[in-house]
């Protein structure tokens, strides 16, 4: 179903995001980097699936993969 396709795609994107996050944290720990934290309302995004695809430069590959499975990415975004 479309919902299952969305779930599979979103989990794959999540895995890539976590990989990058873990690599960054490992580099920070290795180089003893200072960090500053703050919370801003602009970072409290609701829907982030398409944004994550674009930022990871994965949108074309995902569109092609989903089309190969018979789905359009635009059909999956509303399931977020």
């Amino acid at each position: 179903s479309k919902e299952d396709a969305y779930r599979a795609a979103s989990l794959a994107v999540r895995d890539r995001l976590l990989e990058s996050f873990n690599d960054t944290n490992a580099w920070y720990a290795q180089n003893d980097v200072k960090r500053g934290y703050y919370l801003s309302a602009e970072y409290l995004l609701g829907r982030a699936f398409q944004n994550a695809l674009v930022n990871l430069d994965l949108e074309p590959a995902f569109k092609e993969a989903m089309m190969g499975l018979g789905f359009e990415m635009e059909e999956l975004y509303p399931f977020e």
Side-chain angles (χ1 to χ4, degrees), residues 24 27 50:
T24 300
W27 187 86
Q50 186 176 12

Side-chain angles (χ1 to χ4, degrees), residues 6-70:
Y6 164 75
R7 189 174 296 118
S10 64
L11 289 173
V13 171
R14 183 196 66 178
D15 289 348
R16 294 293 294 270
L17 287 169
L18 286 174
E19 223 175 83
S20 177
F21 177 76
N22 289 336
D23 290 345
T24 300
N25 280 332
W27 187 86
Y28 286 168
Q30 181 181 13
N31 292 294
D32 195 29
V33 175
K34 292 183 181 181
R35 302 181 203 189
Y37 298 93
Y38 71 96
L39 181 62
S40 174
E42 67 187 17
Y43 294 110
L44 298 175
L45 302 173
R47 298 180 174 198
F49 178 58
Q50 186 176 12
N51 192 28
L53 283 173
V54 171
N55 290 336
L56 291 170
D57 197 27
L58 295 174
E59 192 174 31
F62 267 75
K63 278 187 177 185
E64 185 178 331
M66 289 293 124
M67 284 179 63
L69 295 171

